[in-house]
Amino acid sequence: MAGTTAPERAGGSSKGGGTLYRGDLGMWSWVAHRITGVLTFFFLFAHVLDTALVRVSPDAYDKVIETYKNPVVNLFEVGLVGAVLYHALNGIRVMLVDFWEKGARYQKQMLWAVLGVWVLVMIPGTYYMMVRTVSDLFGGGH
C-alpha cells in the first residue's frame, strides 16, 4: 500500500495527471457541467442588465440591441445555446444518477446518450441560427 494513492487503493484509475478522476470521462462531464452553468449564469446576468436598460434609457437599450446583430455575437449565441442544452441534458443525467437506483450503473451510457442528443440538436440548430449571418456576410437573398 505504500506509495499508492487513495484512488488506486479504491480501485480507481491510475492513468493521467494529478486529479482524483485522472482524466476519466466522468471528470470531463463534471467540468463541462460547471463551466456551462457559470456561462449560463453570466449570460442571464447580462440579459437582466441589458433588459433593465430599457427603463433607464430606451436609446441606450436600442444601441445595445443593435450590437447584438454582429456576426461574432451570433457565434456567441450558438455557443450559449450549446452550453444551455448540454447543461440541461447533463442535469437530467445527474438527477437520474442521484435518484434512480440503477442510475450509477448506467451513468456512462447516459452520458453518451446526452452527447448524442446534444449533437443531433446542435447540428440543425447551428444551421438555422447561422444561416442569416452567413447570408448577410457572403451575399444571397432571403
Side-chain angles (χ1 to χ4, degrees):
M1 284 271 174
T4 60
T5 63
E8 288 171 339
R9 286 192 299 269
S13 173
S14 62
K15 66 180 179 180
T19 65
L20 178 64
Y21 291 103
R22 308 243 184 227
D24 289 343
L25 193 59
M27 180 197 72
W28 293 113
S29 69
W30 180 89
V31 168
H33 195 74
R34 295 322 182 263
I35 290 170
T36 57
V38 169
L39 291 174
T40 302
F41 170 78
F42 282 118
F43 163 76
L44 290 173
F45 182 73
H47 180 62
V48 167
L49 289 178
D50 70 19
T51 303
L53 191 58
V54 76
R55 297 181 65 112
V56 177
S57 170
D59 290 334
Y61 173 79
D62 289 340
K63 289 178 185 173
V64 168
I65 295 304
E66 192 61 34
T67 65
Y68 291 166
K69 296 178 182 173
N70 183 312
V72 174
V73 173
N74 191 218
L75 284 173
F76 283 131
E77 289 173 335
V78 171
L80 174 66
V81 168
V84 169
L85 181 63
Y86 173 81
H87 193 78
L89 293 171
N90 194 55
I92 293 168
R93 181 186 75 89
V94 168
M95 286 189 293
L96 287 171
V97 169
D98 287 346
F99 297 112
W100 179 37
E101 65 185 41
K102 296 180 183 177
R105 183 180 316 150
Y106 295 111
Q107 67 88 19
K108 190 175 279 190
Q109 293 90 333
M110 288 189 293
L111 177 59
W112 285 112
V114 162
L115 296 174
V117 170
W118 185 86
V119 167
L120 286 174
V121 172
M122 284 304 296
I123 289 172
T126 300
Y127 172 79
Y128 286 111
M129 290 180 74
M130 294 297 298
V131 70
R132 181 170 180 179
T133 297
V134 171
S135 177
D136 289 347
L137 285 174
F138 300 109
H142 238 39

